[in-house]
Amino acid sequence: MLKIVIFGTGNLAKHLYTAFLKADGVDVVQVVGRNVKELQQFSEYSTISNDFNAIIDADVYLIAVKDDAISEVSEFLMDKNGIVAHTSGAISLNTIQAANKGVFYPLQTFTKDKEVDFSNIPICIESEGKDSFETLNTLSKSISENVHYIDSEQRKKLHLAAVFVNNFTNYLYSVGEELCLEEGLSFDLLKPLIMETAHKIQNMSPQDAQTGPARRNDIKSMKSHQELLNKKEHITLYKLLSQAIIQAHEEEL
Amino acid sequence: MLKIVIFGTGNLAKHLYTAFLKADGVDVVQVVGRNVKELQQFSEYSTISNDFNAIIDADVYLIAVKDDAISEVSEFLMDKNGIVAHTSGAISLNTIQAANKGVFYPLQTFTKDKEVDFSNIPICIESEGKDSFETLNTLSKSISENVHYIDSEQRKKLHLAAVFVNNFTNYLYSVGEELCLEEGLSFDLLKPLIMETAHKIQNMSPQDAQTGPARRNDIKSMKSHQELLNKKEHITLYKLLSQAIIQAHEEEL
């Protein structure tokens, strides 16, 4: 049985906690965090503490706090024998102030109160020693079938790629919503298209899936689209993305 | 029984044809197109013709050809009593050169050889008279439960919104793929995130779903992301999209 302590009471901490509670071979012995009110929800099945000097011995200490606080939290774990692992895409392994460093990064977006099925979520792990790797691997496999060894440099790039396909894509969705509302139309009209666009690239490279006026270099359509846009920043974005698509496919030739 | 003739042999024509073959109350009496080879695939269940002067009488003539050819095809239908409807998001109702004009625009992306379930796809219809509306409505409802009356101005904006959430989003996916490949990582790692990002806004406004460094105005993270990017156009895009997200959420306050 792997004993783990989770640090943090936010979205990710909660989702990981719920997943590990159901997992075989894992026992969440403690949840540690500053927010006493938020800590209560973990009290039914685990010990809780807001005292970072009263941490129970465990095999893995999972730090699921804001990036800026990872180093500080890890300092409380300097003398522990277990693996001290953070859960961030953007932070190096070496940010951890402890002997036995690790990373346990689930590559997914987590929404409050929306249940998560971890089984298909990529868990990106990193460690210094082979033993630590085996432990993190076992821990990951208790909740996901999609576990990968990814080093700090790769992970940073992956996290950046995630910003493009998640944060920036979501912004494009919000532009779509805005354009619908300008015409008194429901954003619901775009939802099947959004799902299909995401679905399409599950079995096809996005490079090959590219369609639209820019892909065809259809200057007339692009011009009339720009005339329909009211906001200057939407026009700039339209031009830049169209130009990028044209250029990406010129390079192909 | 509604009799229809389909013009065109491309992706959309094929998908519509397949859907109408299965639909109750619709009979595709003819498929008309220039490409004799492509026409063959429609010959088992319908009459085919490459002669635009030998068009069978029907209730609806569905023009599923390239935008630029819509007007020309419609000229062959000047003397017909049935509704002459195009299937394009970007073209006005009045582009059609016939007495009884209509639009039948399925708002979806269609992939070659990938089966389409029309039942949930928004069909945007437009017409001049009430009778034409009823006919187009009946035709739409034979394949979809998601039928809307959308005028030409609204439809153009909707089509533009579709470019943002489909074409531009797909380009962001391709940037994600490129960044993965730079590190020798599989694009598969991003696929669960891409699905969840699309899934999230099915029940939540993208405005509220926005996360990431730009949403938090986390200048340090945005700076280190830009340092990781090799291509100038990716840096420009990163800056512009981040700035747009920051601005959109400043306006909220």
Side-chain angles (χ1 to χ4, degrees), chain A residues 66-68 90 107-111 114-115 120-122 124 146 148-151 153-177 179-180 182-207 209-214 216 218 220-221 225-226 228-231 233-242 244-245 247-248 251, chain B residues 66-68 90 107-111 114-115 120-122 124 146 148-151 153-177 179-180 182-207 209-214 216 218 220-221 225-226 228-231 233-242 244-245 247-248 251:
Chain A
K66 287 204 174 78
D67 285 4
D68 287 346
L107 179 45
Q108 187 50 287
T109 176
F110 298 98
T111 310
K114 189 177 176 218
E115 214 185 319
N120 190 36
I121 295 178
C124 307
N146 198 355
H148 303 266
Y149 190 89
I150 307 274
D151 69 30
E153 197 187 323
Q154 289 175 318
R155 186 160 30 78
K156 277 182 192 175
K157 198 61 103 38
L158 196 55
H159 182 255
L160 172 57
V163 167
F164 276 88
V165 303
N166 169 11
N167 304 152
F168 291 167
T169 287
N170 182 77
Y171 177 71
L172 295 181
Y173 296 163
S174 76
V175 174
E177 184 179 38
L179 296 175
C180 283
E182 281 179 12
E183 293 294 328
L185 297 169
S186 167
F187 178 54
D188 288 350
L189 285 163
L190 293 175
K191 289 177 180 175
L193 177 62
I194 285 172
M195 282 312 294
E196 180 62 17
T197 303
H199 202 254
K200 201 165 173 171
I201 56 82
Q202 302 294 314
N203 299 305
M204 191 176 187
S205 164
Q207 180 89 349
Q210 189 66 59
T211 57
R216 297 190 305 271
D218 175 350
K220 199 177 129 196
S221 292
H225 274 162
Q226 287 168 45
L228 287 176
L229 289 166
N230 298 317
K231 283 194 172 175
E233 61 264 34
H234 292 169
I235 297 172
T236 311
L237 196 54
Y238 187 98
K239 282 184 186 168
L240 189 68
L241 283 161
S242 295
I245 292 169
Q247 200 175 322
E251 284 167 10
Chain B
K66 287 203 175 80
D67 285 4
D68 286 347
L107 179 44
Q108 187 52 289
T109 175
F110 297 98
T111 310
K114 188 177 177 219
E115 214 185 319
N120 190 37
I121 295 178
C124 306
N146 198 354
H148 303 266
Y149 189 89
I150 308 274
D151 69 30
E153 198 188 322
Q154 290 175 317
R155 185 160 30 77
K156 278 182 190 174
K157 199 60 104 36
L158 196 55
H159 182 256
L160 172 56
V163 168
F164 276 87
V165 303
N166 169 10
N167 304 152
F168 291 167
T169 288
N170 183 77
Y171 177 71
L172 294 182
Y173 296 163
S174 77
V175 174
E177 183 179 40
L179 296 175
C180 283
E182 281 178 14
E183 294 293 327
L185 298 169
S186 167
F187 178 53
D188 287 349
L189 285 163
L190 293 176
K191 290 177 180 175
L193 177 63
I194 285 172
M195 281 313 293
E196 179 61 18
T197 304
H199 203 255
K200 201 165 171 170
I201 56 82
Q202 302 294 315
N203 299 306
M204 191 177 185
S205 163
Q207 180 89 349
Q210 189 66 57
T211 57
R216 297 190 304 272
D218 174 351
K220 199 177 129 194
S221 292
H225 274 162
Q226 285 168 46
L228 287 175
L229 288 166
N230 298 317
K231 283 195 173 175
E233 62 264 35
H234 292 168
I235 297 173
T236 312
L237 196 53
Y238 187 98
K239 282 183 187 168
L240 189 69
L241 284 161
S242 295
I245 292 169
Q247 201 175 321
E251 285 167 8

Side-chain angles (χ1 to χ4, degrees), chain A residues 5-8 12-13 16 32 52 60-67 69-77 83-88 95-98 102 104:
Chain A
V5 174
I6 293 177
F7 294 81
L12 177 58
L16 284 174
V32 180
F52 286 74
V60 182
Y61 303 90
L62 269 190
I63 305 180
V65 302
K66 287 204 174 78
D67 285 4
I70 290 170
S71 174
E72 195 189 335
V73 169
S74 73
E75 280 179 32
F76 290 98
L77 299 159
I83 303 162
V84 179
H86 74 64
T87 54
S88 164
T95 301
I96 291 175
Q97 310 288 322
F104 177 101

Side-chain angles (χ1 to χ4, degrees), chain A residues 9 18 21 37 49 65 78 81 110 120 123 127 157 167 185 210 213 222:
Chain A
T9 55
T18 308
L21 268 197
K37 200 182 149 203
S49 176
V65 302
M78 298 277 274
N81 291 320
F110 298 98
N120 190 36
I123 311 275
S127 65
K157 198 61 103 38
N167 304 152
L185 297 169
Q210 189 66 59
M222 289 188 277

Side-chain angles (χ1 to χ4, degrees), chain B residues 5 35 37 48 56 68 75 78 85 87 97 99 108 129 138 145 157 192 196 201 203 210 219 233 237:
Chain B
V5 174
N35 190 323
K37 200 182 150 203
I48 56 170
I56 295 176
D68 286 347
E75 280 179 32
M78 297 277 274
T87 55
Q97 310 289 322
Q108 187 52 289
T138 304
E145 291 153 18
K157 199 60 104 36
E196 179 61 18
I201 56 82
N203 299 306
Q210 189 66 57
I219 291 158
E233 62 264 35
L237 196 53

Side-chain angles (χ1 to χ4, degrees), chain A residues 196, chain B residues 11 15-16 18-19 22 108-119 121:
Chain A
E196 180 62 17
Chain B
N11 238 335
H15 284 300
L16 283 174
T18 308
K22 291 185 204 155
Q108 187 52 289
T109 175
F110 297 98
T111 310
K112 205 184 162 187
D113 299 329
K114 188 177 177 219
E115 214 185 319
V116 178
D117 173 12
F118 271 88
S119 62
I121 295 178

